[in-house]
Amino acid sequence: MNVGGTELHVEDHGHGPPLVMLHGLGSNVEWLRPEIEQLSRIRRVIALDSRGHGRSDRPAAYTLADHVSDVLGVMDALGLERADVMGTSMGSYVAQGVAIRAPQRVSKLVLVVPKASGTTSSVARLIGEHAAELEGKSNDEVLAFIGGLMFAPTTSPEVRARRDQGTQRDMELGLSLTPGQFQAANRALEGFDFRPELPRVTAPTLVISGRHDPLNPPAEGEVIARSIPYARMVVLERSGHLPSLEEPDELVEIIRDFLQQEPAPTS
C-alpha cells in the first residue's frame, strides 16, 4: 500500500471491529503472528510493517511522527474512521502518537511494554549502559547480548530460543535490518515526550508491562496509566520485555477481555 509516497506492507485479517496492530523496534508483522491469529477471531486485524522495517520501504531517515502519519494514512486508505489500536514497545509509542494526534479515531488503546518519553530508544539506552561489556563486539553480537537481557530471570531456555528462531526466520525471509537501517530506526525514536499530551487521549486504555522488563519497566507504564483518563494497568509477573513469548496465553487473554468487555467512557 502506498501511503504518502512510502510503500507499506499491510495485512488485513478476520472480521469485526477493526484493530490496528503495531510491532516493536527492528521487528515486523511476523513477530505479531500469534496475536494476529488469535485476535482476528474477534476483530478485523490490520497489521503493518512500520516504515524502515520488514517488507515496507526503508528510507535512510524518518521520524516517529512519520510512523504516526503512516498509521493514519493506512486507516484513511482502508476507509476506517475509527479503530482499536494496539502497539508493542516502539509500536506503543506510535499508538500513543495516533491517540494524541487524532483521539476521535481511536476506539480503544492497548499499549504493551510501553513508555511515554525517551531521549533515545530504549535499546540504544541499554546498549549505552553496557558499553564496556560490548566494546569490540559486532553488531550481531551486540543485538544478541541485548536480546538476552530482555527476558525475565525465570524464563526457560526453550522460550528464549524462540527469539533466536524468530531472528533466524527474519534472516531467511530477508526481513532483517542492516546496521545502518537499525540505526535509522533508533534515531526515529530520539527525543520524544508524550507525557504532557496523554490527558488528551479519550479512548479506554489498557497498559501492559512486564515485571522484569529492563527496557521499559513497569514504572514507565504507570506514568501512562496515571496520565490517561480512562486507563488501567496490568503487570505480567513472569515477563520481561517479550510477554508475547514469555506469557503468550495470558497476554492474549487480557487483551481479548479488554477489547470485548471494557466499557466506553461515560463522560
Side-chain angles (χ1 to χ4, degrees):
M1 179 180 291
N2 190 293
V3 177
T6 299
E7 292 289 329
L8 298 176
H9 174 77
V10 181
E11 299 190 7
D12 196 339
H13 299 268
H15 303 279
L19 168 65
V20 177
M21 197 175 292
L22 307 170
H23 62 75
L25 176 69
S27 182
N28 52 72
V29 294
E30 298 301 330
W31 292 87
L32 298 173
R33 195 64 64 193
E35 291 96 320
I36 292 171
E37 291 177 355
Q38 294 187 66
L39 294 176
S40 62
R41 298 170 187 169
I42 63 166
R43 287 290 191 273
R44 175 188 177 189
V45 174
I46 295 97
L48 61 142
D49 286 341
S50 296
R51 67 167 64 203
H53 294 73
R55 299 175 178 90
S56 293
D57 281 352
R58 302 184 186 184
Y62 49 93
T63 67
L64 181 53
D66 290 328
H67 287 316
V68 172
S69 296
D70 289 343
V71 173
L72 291 170
V74 168
M75 291 176 63
D76 289 342
L78 295 175
L80 303 178
E81 183 178 344
R82 289 171 62 85
D84 301 329
V85 180
M86 170 186 162
T88 297
S89 193
M90 179 189 81
S92 77
Y93 320 156
V94 181
Q96 289 172 74
V98 172
I100 289 168
R101 187 187 300 184
Q104 75 284 359
R105 303 194 66 178
V106 180
S107 300
K108 293 178 182 176
L109 185 63
V110 180
L111 305 173
V112 183
V113 292
K115 68 177 182 179
S117 64
T119 56
T120 67
S121 76
S122 296
V123 170
R125 174 184 57 77
L126 203 59
I127 289 173
E129 291 174 358
H130 292 272
E133 299 159 85
L134 295 173
E135 185 176 358
K137 294 188 180 298
S138 69
N139 186 69
D140 288 343
E141 290 172 330
V142 169
L143 294 180
F145 177 88
I146 295 301
L149 299 178
M150 292 186 182
F151 293 99
T154 55
T155 299
S156 70
E158 292 77 16
V159 171
R160 291 171 182 262
R162 291 177 198 159
R163 183 181 182 276
D164 296 333
Q165 292 164 5
T167 301
Q168 181 64 33
R169 175 202 61 215
D170 281 359
M171 292 176 62
E172 293 171 355
L173 295 176
L175 302 178
S176 301
L177 304 188
T178 67
Q181 290 166 348
F182 189 69
Q183 289 175 6
N186 275 279
R187 285 194 297 269
L189 307 182
E190 293 177 351
F192 78 96
D193 189 351
F194 289 137
R195 291 172 295 180
E197 299 176 286
L198 287 176
R200 295 179 51 197
V201 176
T202 57
T205 299
L206 174 63
V207 178
I208 303 174
S209 293
R211 175 64 69 191
H212 305 282
D213 186 352
L215 273 77
N216 296 337
E220 299 283 3
E222 290 169 2
V223 170
I224 298 170
R226 288 196 304 266
S227 300
I228 294 177
Y230 303 101
R232 66 181 181 90
M233 182 173 175
V234 175
V235 177
L236 293 174
E237 297 294 337
R238 300 189 305 278
S239 288
H241 192 68
L242 301 172
S244 62
L245 295 178
E246 296 172 282
E247 297 185 75
D249 295 337
E250 294 86 343
L251 176 67
V252 170
E253 182 179 359
I254 291 166
I255 295 170
R256 183 192 296 116
D257 288 348
F258 170 77
L259 293 176
Q260 292 182 308
Q261 301 174 10
E262 188 73 11
T266 57
S267 61

Short mmCIF file of all heavy atoms in Angstrom, two decimals, residues 242-266:
data_model
loop_
_atom_site.label_atom_id
_atom_site.label_comp_id
_atom_site.label_asym_id
_atom_site.label_seq_id
_atom_site.Cartn_x
_atom_site.Cartn_y
_atom_site.Cartn_z
N LEU A 242 9.37 -9.23 26.58
CA LEU A 242 8.80 -10.03 25.50
C LEU A 242 7.65 -10.91 25.99
O LEU A 242 7.71 -12.14 25.90
CB LEU A 242 9.90 -10.89 24.86
CG LEU A 242 11.08 -10.12 24.26
CD1 LEU A 242 12.17 -11.08 23.84
CD2 LEU A 242 10.63 -9.27 23.08
N PRO A 243 6.59 -10.31 26.53
CA PRO A 243 5.48 -11.13 27.04
C PRO A 243 4.82 -11.98 25.97
O PRO A 243 4.23 -13.01 26.29
CB PRO A 243 4.51 -10.09 27.62
CG PRO A 243 4.86 -8.81 26.95
CD PRO A 243 6.34 -8.87 26.72
N SER A 244 4.92 -11.59 24.71
CA SER A 244 4.33 -12.41 23.64
C SER A 244 5.02 -13.76 23.54
O SER A 244 4.44 -14.72 23.02
CB SER A 244 4.40 -11.68 22.30
OG SER A 244 5.75 -11.43 21.93
N LEU A 245 6.26 -13.86 24.04
CA LEU A 245 6.98 -15.13 24.10
C LEU A 245 6.91 -15.74 25.50
O LEU A 245 6.84 -16.95 25.65
CB LEU A 245 8.45 -14.94 23.70
CG LEU A 245 8.73 -14.52 22.25
CD1 LEU A 245 10.23 -14.34 22.06
CD2 LEU A 245 8.19 -15.54 21.27
N GLU A 246 6.95 -14.88 26.51
CA GLU A 246 7.08 -15.36 27.88
C GLU A 246 5.73 -15.76 28.50
O GLU A 246 5.66 -16.73 29.25
CB GLU A 246 7.76 -14.29 28.74
CG GLU A 246 9.19 -14.00 28.29
CD GLU A 246 9.81 -12.82 29.00
OE1 GLU A 246 9.50 -11.66 28.63
OE2 GLU A 246 10.58 -13.05 29.95
N GLU A 247 4.70 -14.99 28.26
CA GLU A 247 3.36 -15.30 28.77
C GLU A 247 2.32 -15.08 27.66
O GLU A 247 1.42 -14.25 27.80
CB GLU A 247 3.04 -14.45 29.98
CG GLU A 247 3.95 -14.69 31.19
CD GLU A 247 3.53 -13.91 32.42
OE1 GLU A 247 2.54 -14.28 33.07
OE2 GLU A 247 4.20 -12.89 32.72
N PRO A 248 2.45 -15.81 26.55
CA PRO A 248 1.61 -15.52 25.39
C PRO A 248 0.12 -15.72 25.64
O PRO A 248 -0.70 -14.91 25.19
CB PRO A 248 2.14 -16.50 24.33
CG PRO A 248 2.79 -17.59 25.12
CD PRO A 248 3.37 -16.93 26.32
N ASP A 249 -0.25 -16.77 26.34
CA ASP A 249 -1.67 -17.02 26.57
C ASP A 249 -2.27 -15.97 27.48
O ASP A 249 -3.38 -15.47 27.23
CB ASP A 249 -1.87 -18.42 27.18
CG ASP A 249 -1.46 -19.53 26.23
OD1 ASP A 249 -1.46 -19.29 25.00
OD2 ASP A 249 -1.15 -20.63 26.69
N GLU A 250 -1.55 -15.62 28.55
CA GLU A 250 -2.04 -14.59 29.46
C GLU A 250 -2.17 -13.25 28.75
O GLU A 250 -3.16 -12.52 28.95
CB GLU A 250 -1.10 -14.45 30.65
CG GLU A 250 -1.05 -15.67 31.56
CD GLU A 250 -0.04 -16.72 31.11
OE1 GLU A 250 0.40 -16.67 29.93
OE2 GLU A 250 0.30 -17.60 31.92
N LEU A 251 -1.19 -12.92 27.92
CA LEU A 251 -1.21 -11.66 27.19
C LEU A 251 -2.45 -11.55 26.31
O LEU A 251 -3.19 -10.57 26.36
CB LEU A 251 0.05 -11.52 26.34
CG LEU A 251 0.14 -10.27 25.45
CD1 LEU A 251 0.26 -9.02 26.29
CD2 LEU A 251 1.32 -10.38 24.48
N VAL A 252 -2.69 -12.56 25.50
CA VAL A 252 -3.83 -12.51 24.58
C VAL A 252 -5.15 -12.52 25.35
O VAL A 252 -6.09 -11.81 24.98
CB VAL A 252 -3.76 -13.69 23.59
CG1 VAL A 252 -5.06 -13.80 22.79
CG2 VAL A 252 -2.58 -13.50 22.64
N GLU A 253 -5.22 -13.28 26.42
CA GLU A 253 -6.47 -13.32 27.20
C GLU A 253 -6.80 -11.96 27.78
O GLU A 253 -7.95 -11.51 27.74
CB GLU A 253 -6.35 -14.36 28.32
CG GLU A 253 -7.62 -14.49 29.15
CD GLU A 253 -7.50 -15.53 30.24
OE1 GLU A 253 -6.43 -16.17 30.35
OE2 GLU A 253 -8.47 -15.70 31.00
N ILE A 254 -5.80 -11.28 28.31
CA ILE A 254 -6.02 -9.95 28.89
C ILE A 254 -6.48 -8.97 27.82
O ILE A 254 -7.41 -8.19 28.02
CB ILE A 254 -4.72 -9.46 29.57
CG1 ILE A 254 -4.42 -10.28 30.82
CG2 ILE A 254 -4.82 -7.98 29.93
CD1 ILE A 254 -3.01 -10.09 31.35
N ILE A 255 -5.82 -9.02 26.66
CA ILE A 255 -6.19 -8.10 25.58
C ILE A 255 -7.58 -8.42 25.05
O ILE A 255 -8.40 -7.52 24.84
CB ILE A 255 -5.15 -8.17 24.45
CG1 ILE A 255 -3.80 -7.66 24.94
CG2 ILE A 255 -5.62 -7.38 23.22
CD1 ILE A 255 -2.66 -7.92 23.97
N ARG A 256 -7.87 -9.69 24.85
CA ARG A 256 -9.18 -10.09 24.34
C ARG A 256 -10.30 -9.64 25.29
O ARG A 256 -11.31 -9.07 24.86
CB ARG A 256 -9.23 -11.60 24.15
CG ARG A 256 -10.55 -12.08 23.54
CD ARG A 256 -10.70 -13.58 23.64
NE ARG A 256 -9.69 -14.29 22.87
CZ ARG A 256 -8.76 -15.09 23.40
NH1 ARG A 256 -8.70 -15.25 24.71
NH2 ARG A 256 -7.90 -15.71 22.63
N ASP A 257 -10.10 -9.85 26.59
CA ASP A 257 -11.12 -9.45 27.56
C ASP A 257 -11.33 -7.95 27.53
O ASP A 257 -12.47 -7.46 27.62
CB ASP A 257 -10.71 -9.90 28.96
CG ASP A 257 -10.81 -11.40 29.15
OD1 ASP A 257 -11.41 -12.07 28.28
OD2 ASP A 257 -10.29 -11.91 30.16
N PHE A 258 -10.24 -7.20 27.42
CA PHE A 258 -10.35 -5.74 27.38
C PHE A 258 -11.12 -5.28 26.14
O PHE A 258 -12.01 -4.44 26.22
CB PHE A 258 -8.96 -5.13 27.40
CG PHE A 258 -8.92 -3.65 27.13
CD1 PHE A 258 -9.28 -2.75 28.11
CD2 PHE A 258 -8.51 -3.16 25.90
CE1 PHE A 258 -9.24 -1.38 27.88
CE2 PHE A 258 -8.46 -1.80 25.65
CZ PHE A 258 -8.83 -0.91 26.64
N LEU A 259 -10.78 -5.83 25.00
CA LEU A 259 -11.44 -5.42 23.75
C LEU A 259 -12.91 -5.76 23.77
O LEU A 259 -13.74 -5.01 23.24
CB LEU A 259 -10.75 -6.08 22.57
CG LEU A 259 -9.32 -5.64 22.27
CD1 LEU A 259 -8.75 -6.46 21.12
CD2 LEU A 259 -9.25 -4.16 21.96
N GLN A 260 -13.27 -6.86 24.40
CA GLN A 260 -14.65 -7.30 24.36
C GLN A 260 -15.51 -6.72 25.49
O GLN A 260 -16.72 -6.54 25.32
CB GLN A 260 -14.73 -8.83 24.43
CG GLN A 260 -14.19 -9.53 23.20
CD GLN A 260 -14.32 -11.03 23.28
OE1 GLN A 260 -13.88 -11.65 24.25
NE2 GLN A 260 -14.90 -11.64 22.27
N GLN A 261 -14.89 -6.41 26.63
CA GLN A 261 -15.69 -6.09 27.80
C GLN A 261 -15.48 -4.69 28.36
O GLN A 261 -16.35 -4.19 29.07
CB GLN A 261 -15.40 -7.09 28.92
CG GLN A 261 -15.71 -8.53 28.53
CD GLN A 261 -15.30 -9.53 29.60
OE1 GLN A 261 -14.93 -9.16 30.72
NE2 GLN A 261 -15.34 -10.80 29.24
N GLU A 262 -14.37 -4.06 28.10
CA GLU A 262 -14.09 -2.76 28.72
C GLU A 262 -15.16 -1.75 28.29
O GLU A 262 -15.37 -1.51 27.11
CB GLU A 262 -12.71 -2.25 28.31
CG GLU A 262 -12.27 -1.01 29.07
CD GLU A 262 -11.88 -1.31 30.49
OE1 GLU A 262 -11.75 -2.48 30.85
OE2 GLU A 262 -11.66 -0.35 31.25
N PRO A 263 -15.84 -1.11 29.24
CA PRO A 263 -16.86 -0.13 28.88
C PRO A 263 -16.26 1.15 28.33
O PRO A 263 -15.13 1.52 28.65
CB PRO A 263 -17.59 0.13 30.18
CG PRO A 263 -16.56 -0.15 31.24
CD PRO A 263 -15.73 -1.29 30.70
N ALA A 264 -17.03 1.82 27.50
CA ALA A 264 -16.62 3.12 26.98
C ALA A 264 -16.74 4.16 28.08
O ALA A 264 -17.46 3.99 29.05
CB ALA A 264 -17.49 3.51 25.78
N PRO A 265 -16.02 5.29 27.97
CA PRO A 265 -16.13 6.36 28.95
C PRO A 265 -17.57 6.86 29.05
O PRO A 265 -18.30 6.89 28.06
CB PRO A 265 -15.20 7.45 28.40
CG PRO A 265 -14.30 6.76 27.46
CD PRO A 265 -15.05 5.61 26.92
N THR A 266 -17.95 7.27 30.25
CA THR A 266 -19.29 7.79 30.45
C THR A 266 -19.35 9.30 30.43
O THR A 266 -20.44 9.89 30.49
CB THR A 266 -19.86 7.29 31.80
OG1 THR A 266 -18.96 7.70 32.86
CG2 THR A 266 -19.96 5.76 31.80
#
